[in-house]
Amino acid sequence: MLRLNEIKLPLNHDENALPQAILQKLGIANTELMSFKVFKRAYDARNKNQILLIYILDVEVQNQQALLDAFAADPHVRETPDMTYQFVAQAPKELTSRPVVIGLGPCGLFAALILAQMGFRPIVLERGKEVRERTKDTFGFWRKKPLNTESNVQFGEGGAGTFSDGKLYSQIKDRKHYGRKVLNEFVAAGAPEEILYVSKPHIGTFKLVNMVEKMRAEIIKLGGEIRFSTRVDKLDIVDNQIKGLCLSNDEYLATEHVILAVGHSARDTFEMLHEIGVYVEAKPFSIGFRIEHEQSMIDQCRFGNNAGNPILGAADYKLVHHCKNGRSVYSFCMCPGGTVVAAASEAGRVVTNGMSQYSRHERNANSAIVVGITPEQDYPDHPLAGIELQRRLEELAFKVGGENYHAPAQLIGDFLKGKSSEQLGEVKPSYTPGVTLTDLAKVVPDYVVAAIREAIPAFDRKIKGFAKTDGLLTGVETRTSSPVCIKRGKDLQSINTKGLYPAGEGAGYAGGIWSAGIDGIKVAEALALDMLAKTQNLVSKDSTAS
């Protein structure tokens, strides 16, 4: 097939416009066009009164090679690449050892699935509960029940991405098309097929719950084993080689191949790794607040009279501002038609995140507005100093919020003026258990306050109304990414612990569901090849000995 890029049509074009655009682009007759399908559909809303749809199309034609030759100089006409996933290994029947995956978020889920599909029968250890029980605990906390520190937004089957917007896109390079494997597996598990072709696919929490359950069932069907409420408390390392795991139920699990996919909030695991000598270093992350506006305002600003068009859906945004103090402020994890959620995983601390359902029909739009920070400038003393900074800010937010898991909040207008808020305006907070109006300058460093105060008016010049007086800021946002990196080499193993494969967002190698799933596939492949090579070496030695 041929792949045609940059086919642009009006937003409300009729169904005949696509085949006509193909014929016009290739200069062929209708009889020469055999079939086509949409590979990707995006939109260009820079002119909100003349929004364009931009297509990538896979086209079956007569005389394909002749057309490829004719369009050799045109980068928008190429042969469709083969994106079929190819397994790199198959477990031998004589294999008795089993790999272990720690964590069942997106990275661990795909690592376990790929290993199971290759016949390696992985054992998965998840410190939290299965996804439906975890959902009950999480929604219970939002309704003012006690925080379960092992079953919440951060911990449990599905990982932190389960309670998010369910975005399935990233800016990472994906030359081997692992991302297509991720999307195909999600569709097989019940995701809407549109995630295969829309430019910014998302799923939403309720759909993710069902999908995660189906993927778990597939892993088990293929010989995998999943153990919930099982935390890894220590690694057994001998001569820089992992030999086994000490579990929270006092069990010892022997293994020489471990994928560590614990997510960005497994602080006790990071502390344990550093204590036993696994190489860990601090990495940059970002801190700030959640910002809420009425979604209708964002829709109008981005789409004008086209607001509400079902193809466009609820509008999002992506904003960046470089400040006079050298800091950068940017929007992160924007959730159209969503809610701000309580994302604490440790007692006595408050942290926010954003979430949307598939429909994105809630009243408010929300996004993190955060300031980038670095170990060199902001927490230079220790590999785990970023964790301590996160904890300190979350403790401040807990205290200022009233020590009842209410989050501190402030109207945008009051924040810009530097005064405490006393009453809400038109934008009603979506965060539960509740908010406490205050001065958010009390809960973050001065440089964060100064940077965000400079950035919001700049963002208002891009989205009119962004600095609206009664828009709402809620704090604190500290879990934008992992504060540590567990360094790995070209073989994807820890640089000083053989058999340990740090992976996903917690190890510093992904950011979001899609990229975490891709990283899970990568480390599963690397681990499988290593297991296969070692098994073949053992068989060879046994044959020589006999």
Side-chain angles (χ1 to χ4, degrees), residues 243-265:
K243 291 293 184 180
L245 306 170
C246 301
L247 308 183
S248 55
N249 59 5
D250 294 329
E251 180 184 351
Y252 178 84
L253 183 61
T255 181
E256 292 191 353
H257 289 86
V258 175
I259 292 175
L260 185 71
V262 293
H264 61 38
S265 293

Side-chain angles (χ1 to χ4, degrees), residues 197-230:
Y197 65 85
V198 296
S199 63
K200 295 181 179 180
H202 78 285
I203 299 174
T205 291
F206 289 154
K207 288 185 181 293
L208 277 165
V209 168
N210 292 326
M211 291 160 50
V212 167
E213 286 182 321
K214 290 180 180 178
M215 295 176 74
R216 180 220 306 166
E218 182 67 13
I219 292 167
I220 294 171
K221 176 184 173 183
L222 294 171
E225 177 185 344
I226 298 177
R227 305 183 191 179
F228 293 108
S229 300
T230 305

Side-chain angles (χ1 to χ4, degrees), residues 340-418:
V340 179
V341 300
S345 57
E346 295 178 326
R349 298 186 173 105
V350 162
V351 59
T352 61
N353 196 9
M355 184 182 92
S356 296
Q357 299 299 344
Y358 175 70
S359 64
R360 291 175 164 175
H361 279 169
E362 298 296 331
R363 179 178 178 180
N364 290 355
N366 79 79
S367 172
I369 297 296
V370 291
V371 179
I373 58 176
T374 66
E376 297 78 12
Q377 189 172 7
D378 303 303
Y379 42 102
D381 299 330
H382 191 274
L384 305 182
I387 294 174
E388 294 310 309
L389 175 59
Q390 287 177 325
R391 282 175 166 159
R392 189 163 65 251
L393 299 181
E394 291 167 19
E395 287 167 4
L396 278 171
F398 180 75
K399 182 177 180 180
V400 173
E403 300 186 345
N404 55 2
Y405 294 103
H406 285 208
Q410 188 174 16
L411 272 62
I412 293 173
D414 291 337
F415 175 77
L416 294 177
K417 294 176 182 176

Side-chain angles (χ1 to χ4, degrees), residues 518-538:
I518 289 171
D519 202 55
I521 296 173
K522 290 179 181 178
V523 293
E525 290 183 347
L527 182 150
L529 290 171
D530 190 70
M531 284 192 77
L532 197 60
K534 289 181 177 178
T535 301
Q536 290 170 345
N537 287 340
L538 286 173

